[in-house]
Amino acid sequence: MARLIHPDGIEEIVHPEAGTTFSLEELQRFVGGYIERVPTPAVRGIDCVVDEEGLMKQLPMNMKASAIVGGGQMVVGSMVVLSGKERLV
């Protein structure tokens, strides 16, 4: 079960269209641009993806996503959190 976390704190459950692997296009659509994998030192076993140009686009701060990532890293825009069941392209 993957989660899409929006800057306003609202979460959606999202599923890959092709079973267990998200396509690049799906992930780009969820975050609104080119994707960047975000390291999660505080939480093992998950992958997080954000818009790599989020800061340049001046996207709003995502406090919930920042808390998940940890380590003082601030996340802007929407973030997809993939559990061990889903895979990146």
Side-chain angles (χ1 to χ4, degrees):
M1 168 176 73
R3 296 182 294 158
L4 175 60
I5 304 173
H6 298 282
D8 60 6
I10 294 175
E11 294 188 31
E12 296 178 56
I13 302 300
V14 293
H15 303 280
E17 293 173 3
T20 59
T21 304
F22 282 98
S23 70
L24 175 61
E25 292 78 16
E26 285 177 292
L27 293 172
Q28 288 175 329
R29 188 173 62 247
F30 291 141
V31 301
Y34 295 115
I35 64 168
E36 176 181 8
R37 188 174 180 186
V38 178
T40 56
V43 183
R44 300 211 186 277
I46 64 170
D47 284 309
C48 297
V49 176
V50 298
D51 181 346
E52 75 174 4
E53 296 177 332
L55 289 174
M56 289 186 340
K57 293 177 181 177
Q58 298 181 337
L59 296 177
M61 183 75 64
N62 189 326
M63 298 305 289
K64 190 179 272 190
S66 297
I68 291 170
V69 171
Q73 186 170 344
M74 300 309 288
V75 174
V76 298
S78 296
M79 180 172 83
V80 178
V81 180
L82 297 105
S83 68
K85 294 179 182 178
E86 302 91 17
R87 292 178 290 168
L88 299 172
V89 288

